């Protein structure tokens, strides 16, 4: 069975999840469900990033212990992910002892290879990002993401010879052996690597106590980003044998937001190259949810609460709306009122209305609907094309394009109803009425499959309305996306697919 390993970044526990944090996770979940639907064995990893000065400071502000804060915020993440139906296979916490063991092993191996040395670091440090900035990278002397002035810092610490990997990285990216998407992010990184000399990376901190102590120097803790990146290995249970990691290694897709691009596209592959570990197959950098053009986040106080949004729209609809608004690789402005308009147009008046209409029309007959002699070639062709576009779009992480292809099917079905007027056929031409309703029921069955990775419960409800709940779930996708062959005896439902808000 084909294996598919997908990861999200692990989330900082200095604040609660917001809709921007949920963006990466919902996207990863849709992909995980899509690959499971295809019959692949999926390992979907997410979790929380719990060490470092940012978390220690947040705990101090709240007059609590860092571990307590981690437990509390991680519990919230798990709760929100459950609400959003995130079907992760493992939730990694960097305060797990097994993770610490992986980090210690990894750092020791780097040291044994002569890739770690002791030095003095002086620089401008942004607490928000947990990283040093060069003067050039600042905007008006401030961190471009947190809009705060970094603090000046000097400390003794251990360095990783990151600079030794510059040429290798360039070669791998140029030859497409390391796939970075979308294209503009790949180009951005290439031009950065072509124009700048990589500096070695400080991988430990003497003054940060809330972290994993270095195996050879307990006065220093691992730099939180090294600690965090290694979750992608420890999350698979890796204990340090670089020959045998897991059947799931390497990751098929790693998702990340553009604010953490350098860590994932430079430091992460360099760390793996250092220990001869195969690189991820694909790193995908997505854009931000913005509110009036500003990145949504806790620090700017403009964050939307995913649980509240789920109460308003319902979880399935929220998942759909989050991915339908704009292309995944770009930034996009969102708001509750934009979601409201999309909900009405795409879901309540679109799919929901079609579903109700077809089931009501089908209920006018007490006979089963069997595959008719005459098939509408045009409809069959549209569905075949839709499946092609839909699968290709999801393979390319073009969620909005996959959604668009589904919306076209809904529009086509609406047109088919209006053209054929089955309520008139019922009186005039019963066998044509049966033919038309059969096609509509079969389109609904396909829609049940098409929306499944995005809206798993609404997909169940469609199958339930078609009286095929068990039958469809037993099928493989290959069987499910075939046209015809089903005998329908639908049951009108009490539930409304997408209630008006
Ligand atoms: O960066 N729109 O954690 P994090 C879209 N712990 N995505 C957003 C967003 C928004 N408005 N706001 C945040 C970290 N994100 C590190 C990762 S991985 C080894 C360590 C995304 O909680 C952000 O881009 O700050 C990132 O991909 C993810 O949420 C976690 O952000």
């Amino acid at each position: 069975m084909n294996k598919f390993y997908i990861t999200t970044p692990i989330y900082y526990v200095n604040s609660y999840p917001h809709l921007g944090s949920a963006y990466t996770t919902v996207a990863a979940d849709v992909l995980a469900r899509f690959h499971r639907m295809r019959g692949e064995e999926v390992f979907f990893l997410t979790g929380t990033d719990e060490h470092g000065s940012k978390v220690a400071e947040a705990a101090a502000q709240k007059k609590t212990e860092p571990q307590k804060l981690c437990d509390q915020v991680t519990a919230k993440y798990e709760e929100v992910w459950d609400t959003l139906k995130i079907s992760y296979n493992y939730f990694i916490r960097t305060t797990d002892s097994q993770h610490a063991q992986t980090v210690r092993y990894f750092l020791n191996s780097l040291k044994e290879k002569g890739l770690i040395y002791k030095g003095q670091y002086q620089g401008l440090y942004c607490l928000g990002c947990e990283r040093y900035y060069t003067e050039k990278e600042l905007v008006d002397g401030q961190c471009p993401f947190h809009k705060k002035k970094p603090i000046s810092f000097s400390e003794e610490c251990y360095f990783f010879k990151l600079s030794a990997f510059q040429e290798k990285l360039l070669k791998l990216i140029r030859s497409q052996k390391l796939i970075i998407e979308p294209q503009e992010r790949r180009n951005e990184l290439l031009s950065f690597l072509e124009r700048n000399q990589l500096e070695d990376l400080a991988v430990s901190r003497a003054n940060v106590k809330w972290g994993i102590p270095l195996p050879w120097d307990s006065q220093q803790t691992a730099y939180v980003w090294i600690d965090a990146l290694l979750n992608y290995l420890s999350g698979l249970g890796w204990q340090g044998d670089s020959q045998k990691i897991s059947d799931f290694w390497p990751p098929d897709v790693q998702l990340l937001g553009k604010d953490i691009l350098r860590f994932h596209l430079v430091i992460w592959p360099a760390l793996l190259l250092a220990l001869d570990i195969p690189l991820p197959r694909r790193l995908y950098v997505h854009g931000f949810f913005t509110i009036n053009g500003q990145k949504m986040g806790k620090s700017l106080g403009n964050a939307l609460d995913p649980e509240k949004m789920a109460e308003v729209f319902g979880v399935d609809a929220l998942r759909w709306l989050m991915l339908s608004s704009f292309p995944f690789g770009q930034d996009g402005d969102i708001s509750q009122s934009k979601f409201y308009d999309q909900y009405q147009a795409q879901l309540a008046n679109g799919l929901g209305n079609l579903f109700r209409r077809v089931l009501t029309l089908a209920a006018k007959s007490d006979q089963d609907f069997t595959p008719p002699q005459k098939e509408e070639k045009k409809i069959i062709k549209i569905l075949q094309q839709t499946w092609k576009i839909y699968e290709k779009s999801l393979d390319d992480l073009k969620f909005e394009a996959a959604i668009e292809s589904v919306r076209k099917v809904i529009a086509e079905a609406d047109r088919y109803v209006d053209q054929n007027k089955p309520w008139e056929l019922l009186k005039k031409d019963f066998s044509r009425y049966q033919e038309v309703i059969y096609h509509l029921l079969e389109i609904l069955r396909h829609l049940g499959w098409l929306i499944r990775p995005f809206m798993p419960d609404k997909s169940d409800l469609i199958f339930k309305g078609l009286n095929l709940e068990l039958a469809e779930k037993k099928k493989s996708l290959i069987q499910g996306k075939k046209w015809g062959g089903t005998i329908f005896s639908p049951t009108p439902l009490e539930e409304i697919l997408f209630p008006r808000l």
Side-chain angles (χ1 to χ4, degrees):
M1 197 192 271
N2 202 17
K3 293 204 159 35
F4 185 78
Y5 178 28
I6 178 163
T7 69
T8 71
I10 49 172
Y11 294 85
Y12 282 131
V13 291
N14 60 334
S15 63
Y16 284 142
H18 54 79
L19 207 68
S21 347
Y23 187 46
T24 324
T25 318
V26 167
D29 188 64
V30 169
L31 282 184
R33 286 176 186 269
F34 170 59
H35 283 267
R36 287 191 199 112
M37 183 164 107
R38 267 187 175 167
E40 291 169 42
E41 193 182 345
V42 172
F43 194 87
F44 169 17
L45 180 71
T46 191
T48 39
D49 186 356
E50 305 189 359
H51 287 130
S53 45
K54 221 153 75 164
V55 175
E57 277 191 11
Q61 268 179 14
K62 292 198 162 77
K63 301 200 174 19
T64 182
E65 292 299 313
Q67 188 64 57
K68 272 201 183 139
L69 178 72
C70 293
D71 293 346
Q72 190 191 330
V73 180
T74 294
K76 186 72 188 174
Y77 268 97
E78 286 174 330
E79 178 198 308
V80 174
W81 292 168
D82 283 351
T83 301
L84 295 179
K85 301 177 189 163
I86 306 300
S87 60
Y88 54 80
N89 294 86
Y90 189 63
F91 189 102
I92 177 94
R93 299 183 57 178
T94 55
T95 53
D96 286 348
S97 60
Q98 179 246 322
H99 169 78
Q101 210 168 316
T102 303
V103 173
R104 278 195 295 270
Y105 177 84
F106 199 98
L107 288 170
N108 253 337
S109 308
L110 290 180
K111 191 151 184 289
E112 276 164 18
K113 289 208 157 193
L115 291 167
I116 298 272
Y117 63 91
K118 197 169 193 176
Q120 184 77 24
Y121 199 92
Q122 181 138 33
L124 297 164
Y125 194 77
C126 170
L127 274 180
C129 298
E130 302 262 22
R131 64 166 276 203
Y132 286 101
Y133 275 95
T134 61
E135 291 279 2
K136 251 191 347 201
E137 289 172 317
L138 301 176
V139 177
D140 299 328
Q142 295 184 331
C143 159
F145 294 107
H146 294 89
K147 320 260 184 251
K148 276 191 190 142
K149 214 173 146 194
I151 50 174
S152 179
F153 231 47
S154 165
E155 62 179 332
E156 193 168 60
C157 57
Y158 293 89
F159 285 82
F160 164 57
K161 289 186 185 167
L162 180 64
S163 57
F165 295 91
Q166 179 139 7
E167 281 313 310
K168 263 194 186 170
L169 281 172
L170 267 169
K171 256 194 209 147
L172 286 165
I173 299 169
R174 283 193 191 120
S175 65
Q176 296 279 13
K177 287 202 174 111
L178 180 59
I179 297 177
I180 294 165
E181 289 170 322
Q183 187 74 10
E184 61 255 43
R185 297 289 168 215
R186 172 182 178 267
N187 296 345
E188 186 183 317
L189 185 74
L190 267 181
S191 87
F192 168 78
L193 286 173
E194 279 157 358
R195 284 192 206 144
N196 298 279
Q197 183 57 50
L198 280 183
E199 288 178 16
D200 289 345
L201 176 77
V203 290
S204 70
R205 297 285 181 268
N207 56 1
V208 179
K209 297 288 164 246
W210 182 240
I212 299 170
L214 295 186
W216 63 85
D217 182 346
S218 60
Q219 294 310 301
Q220 301 238 354
T221 59
Y223 172 39
V224 63
W225 265 102
I226 299 295
D227 175 344
L229 286 166
L230 296 179
N231 91 86
Y232 302 130
L233 283 162
S234 66
L236 284 178
W238 184 65
Q239 290 291 314
D241 177 355
S242 60
Q243 298 308 309
K244 174 90 190 78
I245 296 177
S246 150
D247 290 345
F248 282 101
W249 193 268
D252 291 278
V253 180
Q254 299 205 269
L255 298 183
L256 53 130
K258 61 180 181 175
D259 50 338
I260 52 178
L261 182 149
R262 296 265 171 89
F263 298 102
H264 282 84
L265 309 186
V266 177
I267 300 173
W268 174 228
L271 287 171
L272 295 172
L273 286 171
L275 294 196
D276 295 318
I277 297 177
L279 299 183
R281 292 190 218 275
R282 230 169 140 193
L283 292 153
Y284 193 99
V285 186
H286 66 75
F288 289 149
F289 272 165
T290 59
I291 301 270
N292 300 322
Q294 295 262 44
K295 180 191 174 193
M296 181 194 297
K298 269 278 141 70
S299 51
L300 292 177
N302 60 359
L304 289 171
D305 177 350
E307 285 179 313
K308 284 200 181 124
M309 294 288 277
E311 266 170 38
V312 175
F313 296 102
V315 175
D316 282 41
L318 177 63
R319 290 165 55 101
W320 175 271
L321 296 170
M322 285 170 77
L323 293 171
S324 74
S325 306
F326 58 91
F328 191 51
Q330 295 170 18
D331 288 354
D333 227 42
I334 58 156
S335 66
Q336 191 162 326
S337 75
K338 275 187 196 157
F339 275 10
Y340 177 86
D341 292 344
Q342 285 173 355
Y343 179 94
Q344 295 295 21
Q346 298 180 15
L347 300 174
N349 298 333
L351 181 56
N353 188 45
L354 176 72
F355 180 66
R356 187 191 47 77
R357 223 174 157 195
V358 173
L359 286 196
T360 310
L361 284 165
K364 306 261 185 242
S365 157
D366 52 11
Q367 292 180 29
D368 287 350
F369 294 88
T370 52
Q373 292 292 324
K374 191 175 148 275
E375 287 183 333
E376 309 271 0
K377 295 274 176 311
K378 188 180 159 209
I379 288 184
I380 299 175
K381 200 160 166 217
I382 288 174
L383 275 169
Q384 280 168 346
Q385 278 169 348
T386 301
W387 274 109
K388 267 195 202 137
I389 297 168
Y390 173 91
E391 291 193 56
K392 169 91 172 66
S393 302
L394 286 183
D395 280 333
D396 293 343
L397 275 67
K398 292 185 174 152
F399 299 96
E400 74 299 338
I403 286 178
E404 181 60 30
S405 72
V406 178
R407 292 180 57 201
K408 282 193 177 140
V409 173
I410 299 168
E412 190 56 40
D414 278 336
R415 233 187 329 267
Y416 185 67
V417 177
D418 295 341
Q419 268 166 8
N420 286 287
K421 304 189 175 48
W423 55 93
E424 286 178 9
L425 292 174
L426 188 64
K427 289 171 223 147
K428 287 194 313 213
D429 184 348
F430 189 69
S431 83
R432 176 69 189 144
Y433 154 85
Q434 282 182 311
E435 238 168 62
V436 169
I437 298 297
Y438 182 87
H439 283 87
L440 289 166
L441 291 169
E442 184 59 357
I443 292 174
L444 279 182
R445 193 185 64 77
H446 277 262
L447 285 168
W449 280 92
L450 288 161
I451 66 165
R452 199 156 181 78
F454 296 89
M455 303 195 280
D457 288 357
K458 300 294 175 186
S459 162
D460 279 352
L461 201 57
I462 289 184
F463 291 152
K464 190 175 160 199
L466 296 175
N467 222 345
L468 292 173
E469 219 179 353
L470 292 176
E472 290 306 297
K473 283 191 193 161
K474 275 193 209 142
K475 287 185 184 169
S476 67
L477 178 61
I478 296 181
Q479 294 166 326
K481 67 184 184 184
K482 258 198 205 127
W483 176 269
T486 306
I487 294 171
F488 291 98
S489 46
T491 38
L493 289 182
E494 297 261 313
E495 296 111 302
I496 292 172
L497 199 55
F498 297 104
R500 293 202 181 272
L501 301 176

